[in-house]
Amino acid sequence: MFWLLAERDHELAASFALIALKLGLVEDDGKSKAGVKQNQIKAIQEEEIKDLEMYLPTETEARGSVIVTTQRPRSQRITKDFYNIELLSFDEETGAQSLFKYLEREPTDEAESNLARETSAIVGGLPLAIATIGGYIKESESSVEEFLQIMKRSSNAWEDTQHTKLKHCERTLGTVFNIALSELEKYPAARKLIDILAFLNPDSIPEGILVAPHDNEEVKFLSSKAECVCQPYEEPAVEHIVDLSRVHDHRWSVYHQAFVLLRRGMPMSSPIKVPEPNKWPQFERYTPQILNLRTHCLWPEPPVDLPVDFAHIMSDMGTYIWHVGLVDDGSEALETTEHILDERRVGEIEPLRGDVFGNLGILSGFAGVSQRKEGMNRRLKALKVRKEVHEDIPKKNVTRNDEIRLYIAESDVAFGHLQDEKFEEVEEIMVRCLKAYKSWDTEDKIPYEYAKYYYTMSLVHAAQNLIEEALDFSRRGVDLVTQSAGAEHPVTQLWKFSLANLMYHSGDVAESLRINEEVLATRKWVCGEFKAFTLESYSTCAALLCQEGKADKAV
């Protein structure tokens, strides 16, 4: 049985693809041993059911099932044979056995077994409640008897009701969490810390945001480690977020504390959007936290009324997001940013809007053919904003960065025309951009701007059937982007990917395959095994291997 994470689309895709590796159907280097049959999927854990059909078996050689677990009481029918399965609670004996498994020991005697059975009965045999109790007892180094006494002291919370089974489970679990939280009341700083952590991604919280000296009054309490340390306990973040959402002012306060911590560690992106390999590690650490903070601010309703400061930090992530290939998550995040600007009545002609439009345009372009029209509309909006902002700057105050930002929007429009194969428009824009570049400095001084020119014009020359010119321009573009971003940066891989494909069209399939395999290896390491750009490289390498008569390596 395979449990697949599915809170976000890319997590479901990544988990799905890992099945082949787990079953030994592919080598560690990604080469397939045998075809992966869809009927080998047994179960999928799904938080939000969307686009699930593509992961379901189309042909099977044996009877099998896909099990979907969700927090939604009523789920849509996904297949013809669709059944709702009621998950029953443990009986007293099974609940007691489960509790000792979490404690990683056997009961000391029959009396302790009876206490465990009583504990299981009080929480209705709810597995998650038993897991939480087990975690609390183990981490606090207390006993089953001590926890049972705590429960009995709060006995009014356990009175039976006429609620449905679902409501009973929610109430039972909530009571367990409330008991655990109540133990923190004597540690106010620790309770504040727990509240903040509930807004963050628990898998990768950067330790530095908590242990660094804090000057901001809202988070100054973190400077005293002794006040923040208490007996630990386990608490699922979902239940805690629901609890925080019940008091809007407190939820806002906790959000702002989390934001202050993340803003301090999150790097500011380049105003002229050049690749910044030195900042890559920080973006890699903080982007999951910002995305998680956004999720917990929007759910459950009513959402937190996010400020413009949050829009700025989301915009700062924009360039990193498209570089690493987080197309879906990035688009959703930047659309939230746009919504914040609308809600806060930020003017249509503001630099921040231009940045958001520009990054949304790029992400839409990578999302597929169906999104390219919307992507071009975003790019044109970004250009309009940049032009009007630029015109409002007195000529004597215009800096080179001001001009670069304007021409970034121009070249972004050219990239959009490339996707629509409007090569004459691309050439017209890029010739205009080149004239500006030359007025600023030489290729060695502003390599990234010139790299964009060579990249786009290489594809224009290819469309004009000038293949040697196309290859020369593409190689020069790779050299310059490598100088600017480094050999391993995702933007460099994008340029190399284009060169490899031009090599294919020149007839040199072997060289194209060699470069594409280099790009694939780097993308797997830098972007991640199952990000959009990496998957694109996988499919390209597979096609080239087939053409080279190596279909066995392509599977």
Side-chain angles (χ1 to χ4, degrees):
M1 178 177 287
F2 300 97
W3 291 95
L4 307 187
L5 297 175
E7 188 173 352
R8 297 184 178 90
D9 291 340
H10 76 271
E11 288 178 341
L12 177 55
S15 299
F16 185 88
L18 280 172
I19 292 173
L21 186 61
K22 189 69 175 177
L23 292 176
L25 299 174
V26 294
E27 304 284 4
D28 287 342
D29 61 1
K31 296 179 180 178
S32 176
K33 291 181 181 177
V36 180
K37 297 174 182 175
Q38 284 185 301
N39 65 292
Q40 290 167 320
I41 305 297
K42 300 297 182 185
I44 292 179
Q45 179 180 354
E46 162 85 337
E47 295 297 340
E48 289 189 32
I49 301 175
K50 53 182 178 179
D51 300 330
L52 188 56
E53 288 82 356
M54 66 182 290
Y55 297 97
L56 298 180
T58 53
E59 297 179 5
T60 61
E61 298 174 4
R63 295 179 65 85
S65 300
V66 174
I67 301 173
V68 178
T69 64
T70 177
Q71 294 178 31
R72 298 178 180 179
R74 296 180 180 82
S75 298
Q76 65 199 60
R77 294 182 66 87
I78 303 172
T79 61
K80 181 180 178 182
D81 297 323
F82 185 83
Y83 305 95
N84 285 318
I85 303 172
E86 183 179 346
L87 299 179
L88 300 177
S89 300
F90 290 154
D91 58 33
E92 291 181 17
E93 186 63 34
T94 305
Q97 292 172 1
S98 177
L99 178 58
F100 285 111
K101 283 185 178 180
Y102 285 112
L103 296 177
E104 297 181 338
R105 65 176 177 84
E106 296 296 323
T108 55
D109 51 31
E110 185 61 24
E112 189 178 40
S113 293
N114 288 333
L115 293 173
R117 293 187 189 101
E118 186 177 355
T119 302
S120 175
I122 288 177
V123 299
L126 190 63
L128 187 53
I130 293 170
T132 304
I133 292 169
Y136 177 89
I137 293 173
K138 184 178 179 182
E139 293 296 334
S140 63
E141 299 180 356
S142 56
S143 66
V144 177
E145 182 178 9
E146 287 170 332
F147 189 85
L148 185 57
Q149 288 174 354
I150 294 173
M151 294 174 71
K152 287 181 175 180
R153 284 201 299 270
S154 59
S155 59
N156 290 339
W158 303 97
E159 291 177 358
D160 195 14
T161 69
Q162 300 299 315
H163 292 308
T164 64
K165 289 184 178 180
L166 179 64
K167 289 293 183 183
H168 172 66
C169 288
E170 290 175 348
R171 181 172 172 277
T172 301
L173 190 58
T175 304
V176 175
F177 297 148
N178 288 337
I179 290 173
L181 284 173
S182 69
E183 293 297 297
L184 287 176
E185 295 305 325
K186 48 192 159 187
Y187 304 100
R191 174 58 195 264
K192 288 180 183 178
L193 175 58
I194 290 293
D195 288 346
I196 292 171
L197 295 179
F199 273 89
L200 305 181
N201 184 320
D203 295 329
S204 56
I205 296 174
E207 185 179 344
I209 67 173
L210 302 176
V211 300
H214 298 285
D215 298 327
N216 189 293
E217 286 297 325
E218 291 189 78
V219 293
K220 215 167 187 178
F221 70 91
L222 290 171
S223 298
S224 176
K225 185 176 180 181
E227 292 182 14
C228 294
V229 175
C230 64
Q231 298 282 17
Y233 70 98
E234 290 186 7
E235 180 190 6
V238 170
E239 180 67 23
H240 197 162
I241 286 294
V242 171
D243 184 55
L244 288 172
S245 71
R246 296 188 178 111
V247 183
H248 182 270
D249 289 346
H250 180 55
R251 185 185 183 193
W252 161 260
S253 175
V254 175
Y255 148 75
H256 198 258
Q257 289 171 328
F259 175 79
V260 166
L261 294 174
L262 295 177
R263 173 71 278 182
R264 176 175 178 172
M266 184 82 168
M268 302 287 286
S269 65
S270 165
I272 56 174
K273 309 304 177 188
V274 297
E276 299 173 289
N278 60 311
K279 294 182 181 179
W280 187 272
Q282 294 105 299
F283 278 114
E284 196 169 30
R285 283 195 296 269
Y286 284 91
T287 294
Q289 302 303 330
I290 297 297
L291 293 176
N292 224 62
L293 182 59
R294 167 191 170 272
T295 298
H296 290 320
C297 286
L298 299 181
W299 180 91
E301 294 185 348
V304 172
D305 192 13
L306 295 167
V308 174
D309 282 348
F310 193 73
H312 276 285
I313 200 172
M314 298 282 278
S315 178
D316 280 339
M317 289 189 334
T319 303
Y320 166 81
I321 282 173
W322 84 255
H323 282 175
V324 79
L326 290 171
V327 176
D328 293 333
D329 283 349
S331 295
E332 290 178 7
L334 288 170
E335 284 167 4
T336 298
T337 306
E338 190 175 13
H339 177 72
I340 294 170
L341 299 182
D342 290 341
E343 287 291 305
R344 296 292 179 175
R345 292 187 169 88
V346 174
E348 289 296 319
I349 308 302
E350 289 290 336
L352 181 56
R353 279 198 185 271
D355 293 343
V356 173
F357 288 147
N359 282 320
L360 275 171
I362 294 169
L363 287 167
S364 297
F366 285 126
V369 176
S370 64
Q371 298 296 313
R372 286 180 181 172
K373 183 177 180 181
E374 177 62 24
M376 178 55 84
N377 287 338
R378 300 278 194 183
R379 294 175 198 261
L380 290 171
K381 284 182 178 181
L383 178 58
K384 179 183 177 184
V385 172
R386 295 269 175 83
K387 280 183 174 179
E388 296 199 25
V389 169
H390 193 268
E391 288 171 1
D392 286 342
I393 303 173
K395 282 192 176 182
K396 64 179 181 179
N397 294 336
V398 173
T399 65
R400 179 189 290 179
N401 277 3
D402 293 328
E403 293 186 342
I404 289 176
R405 285 174 60 79
L406 173 61
Y407 279 92
I408 286 171
E410 290 266 16
S411 60
D412 281 351
V413 171
F415 275 79
H417 285 316
L418 266 182
Q419 294 177 329
D420 292 333
E421 299 184 6
K422 295 180 178 179
F423 299 107
E424 290 183 5
E425 287 88 338
V426 175
E427 185 171 16
E428 179 184 340
I429 293 172
M430 293 314 297
V431 166
R432 189 163 62 245
C433 287
L434 179 62
K435 184 177 179 181
Y437 302 160
K438 288 181 175 179
S439 72
W440 300 335
D441 222 321
T442 62
E443 292 182 1
D444 289 341
K445 294 296 176 67
I446 49 172
Y448 188 56
E449 305 312 316
Y450 282 97
K452 288 187 282 187
Y453 168 75
Y454 285 108
Y455 175 90
T456 52
M457 289 304 297
S458 70
L459 297 173
V460 170
H461 289 322
Q464 295 168 340
N465 206 28
L466 302 172
I467 194 63
E468 290 304 320
E469 288 86 343
L471 289 172
D472 288 343
F473 271 56
S474 186
R475 291 189 187 100
R476 183 57 181 159
V478 169
D479 289 343
L480 290 171
V481 78
T482 302
Q483 181 183 333
S484 173
E488 295 163 349
H489 197 282
V491 173
T492 304
Q493 304 316 306
L494 186 62
W495 263 241
K496 286 182 68 176
F497 183 75
S498 178
L499 171 60
N501 290 335
L502 288 174
M503 295 299 302
Y504 170 80
H505 289 292
S506 74
D508 196 343
V509 179
E511 180 64 7
S512 175
L513 176 58
R514 184 190 70 78
I515 299 173
N516 268 303
E517 286 181 331
E518 284 182 359
V519 172
L520 172 58
T522 306
R523 282 176 165 176
K524 283 167 61 178
W525 176 53
V526 176
C527 298
E529 182 83 23
F530 305 109
K531 295 296 193 299
F533 292 145
T534 310
L535 296 175
E536 181 182 46
S537 284
Y538 267 122
S539 63
T540 302
C541 287
L544 291 171
L545 285 166
C546 287
Q547 191 156 338
E548 288 284 89
K550 302 175 182 178
D552 57 321
K553 294 183 178 180
V555 176

